[in-house]
Amino acid sequence: SKILSQMHDKLIHVDCSECSKSKSTDTDAFKFYQEGIKFWNNRNQKSMDKAIKLFDKAIECDPNFSSAYVMKADCYMLSEDYGNRKKLMDMGKNALDKAEELNDTSAEFYTIYAGYVGNIRHYSDKNKEEAKKERLEYLNIAIDKNPNYATAHHRLGMHYMNNNSVLAIKSIEKAVALDPKSVIIQAAASIIHQVGNKNNRALKYAFNAREIDPLWNPSQINNFIFMAYKNLWDWEKCKECLTPLEQIFKEAENSWYYPSWLEYYMVTN
């Protein structure tokens, strides 16, 4: 791709002056950006909408604030509005193009770009394996740029989750070590460990997420715990943590997973 061919030779050595290009010296712009990051971290549609508005305010204060364009792009691509998926992906790509025009070569840029190129629903001309390969390339570039960027390791773990549990677990545990207070990373660690059949560790990370922020998608975390206990065949523990159906449906817009009717039947009858 264009970006890979242009930037491949710049991967290894990045000095602080290059990293700072993506930031802003405008106090108000940086304030709006930080507020936007807080909402982005919540990973639900309402929060994404708020984050986009805050990143737009940051850009109004500093039109050359490339990090705001990058994170705005990610909000579009994390949107749950699947009916407008193509439009949102295009809006995300436009924001990334603006960041590229501003010569953003940060780990954040490559991490978010990996999400774009790896989205096979948008890249209809790419087969699944080609899309995965390109996404992996960008994630590795991001980590080369900044080995301490937790989100890059987090998304690398999600990339490997269904085909290489060893690398998935290694990546997500690196992300946890870099950002132990991130509820979204703790939640992702729970999922990845479940897929890797490490259910006791999956429980640990789900409980960590709940402790960090008891109000962050409580039914979702409850259901991560439910799934780990189910995988351990501990039906009594499943009953204790089972979220009422009414609450599940109420919070469904924020949920990655909720138990099926069959699973409810298994633990309640």
Side-chain angles (χ1 to χ4, degrees), residues 134-149:
E134 195 169 356
R135 177 173 61 193
L136 180 59
E137 275 193 272
Y138 280 111
L139 288 172
N140 284 328
I141 290 174
I143 292 169
D144 283 337
K145 289 285 186 180
N146 182 1
N148 295 320
Y149 184 43

Side-chain angles (χ1 to χ4, degrees), residues 172 176 180 182-194 198-229 232 241 256:
I172 197 63
V176 170
S182 169
V183 64
I184 191 69
I185 289 176
Q186 294 282 349
S190 180
I191 294 172
I192 287 172
H193 280 80
Q194 281 184 43
K198 306 290 184 183
N199 290 290
N200 286 314
R201 290 191 67 78
L203 285 169
K204 170 193 169 184
Y205 288 116
F207 284 123
N208 285 351
R210 176 186 282 173
E211 183 177 350
I212 291 168
D213 185 357
L215 299 179
W216 187 83
N217 295 341
S219 69
Q220 182 179 112
I221 295 300
N222 229 27
N223 291 321
F224 292 169
I225 296 168
F226 171 93
M227 284 299 297
Y229 281 133
L232 292 167
C241 71
W256 296 345

Side-chain angles (χ1 to χ4, degrees), residues 218-223 226 238-248 251 259 264:
S219 69
Q220 182 179 112
I221 295 300
N222 229 27
N223 291 321
F226 171 93
C238 284
K239 289 180 183 179
E240 291 176 12
C241 71
L242 199 60
T243 307
L245 276 175
E246 293 81 4
Q247 185 178 346
I248 290 291
E251 298 182 13
Y264 272 101

Side-chain angles (χ1 to χ4, degrees), residues 118 120 123 126-135:
I120 59 175
Y123 269 60
K126 294 179 180 289
N127 65 39
K128 188 175 182 179
E129 293 308 312
E130 287 176 336
K132 285 182 178 180
K133 181 179 179 181
E134 195 169 356
R135 177 173 61 193

Side-chain angles (χ1 to χ4, degrees), residues 21-262:
K21 289 178 183 178
S22 62
K23 305 304 177 185
S24 176
T25 57
D26 185 288
T27 303
D28 289 336
F30 195 66
K31 176 184 174 182
F32 287 129
Y33 174 80
Q34 287 183 310
E35 291 178 6
I37 290 293
K38 291 178 183 177
F39 283 105
W40 167 80
N41 266 317
N42 286 336
R43 297 298 201 281
N44 62 62
Q45 190 59 54
K46 291 180 180 179
S47 292
M48 290 297 162
D49 291 341
K50 290 179 181 178
I52 288 170
K53 291 178 181 178
L54 287 163
F55 292 137
D56 278 336
K57 287 183 178 180
I59 291 166
E60 287 176 13
C61 294
D62 182 357
N64 294 320
F65 191 1
S66 64
S67 286
Y69 289 104
V70 169
M71 300 315 297
K72 177 182 174 181
D74 202 42
C75 289
Y76 284 130
M77 289 182 278
L78 290 172
S79 172
E80 297 171 355
D81 186 2
Y82 296 110
N84 291 313
R85 192 68 179 170
K86 175 65 166 62
K87 178 181 177 182
L88 291 167
M89 288 295 293
D90 288 343
M91 292 169 73
K93 180 60 165 57
N94 289 339
L96 285 172
D97 286 345
K98 181 62 179 179
E100 185 186 6
E101 290 174 13
L102 293 168
N103 298 314
D104 193 323
T105 59
S106 65
E108 291 87 344
F109 174 80
Y110 285 107
T111 299
I112 307 315
Y113 209 94
Y116 174 75
V117 300
N119 192 307
I120 59 175
R121 283 172 295 187
H122 181 79
Y123 269 60
S124 57
D125 60 326
K126 294 179 180 289
N127 65 39
K128 188 175 182 179
E129 293 308 312
E130 287 176 336
K132 285 182 178 180
K133 181 179 179 181
E134 195 169 356
R135 177 173 61 193
L136 180 59
E137 275 193 272
Y138 280 111
L139 288 172
N140 284 328
I141 290 174
I143 292 169
D144 283 337
K145 289 285 186 180
N146 182 1
N148 295 320
Y149 184 43
T151 298
H153 293 281
H154 165 201
R155 296 192 179 181
L156 186 61
M158 300 302 291
H159 170 83
Y160 282 126
M161 181 172 68
N162 292 316
N163 54 57
N164 192 325
S165 62
V166 173
L167 289 178
I169 288 172
K170 179 180 178 181
S171 298
I172 197 63
E173 289 190 343
K174 178 67 173 177
V176 170
L178 289 168
D179 192 359
K181 296 298 183 182
S182 169
V183 64
I184 191 69
I185 289 176
Q186 294 282 349
S190 180
I191 294 172
I192 287 172
H193 280 80
Q194 281 184 43
V195 173
N197 201 29
K198 306 290 184 183
N199 290 290
N200 286 314
R201 290 191 67 78
L203 285 169
K204 170 193 169 184
Y205 288 116
F207 284 123
N208 285 351
R210 176 186 282 173
E211 183 177 350
I212 291 168
D213 185 357
L215 299 179
W216 187 83
N217 295 341
S219 69
Q220 182 179 112
I221 295 300
N222 229 27
N223 291 321
F224 292 169
I225 296 168
F226 171 93
M227 284 299 297
Y229 281 133
K230 189 191 81 162
N231 292 340
L232 292 167
W233 295 85
D234 191 335
W235 302 116
E236 291 304 314
K237 288 291 186 181
C238 284
K239 289 180 183 179
E240 291 176 12
C241 71
L242 199 60
T243 307
L245 276 175
E246 293 81 4
Q247 185 178 346
I248 290 291
F249 289 126
K250 182 179 179 181
E251 298 182 13
E253 65 178 282
N254 301 333
S255 183
W256 296 345
Y257 171 83
Y258 49 87
S260 68
W261 289 102
L262 177 59

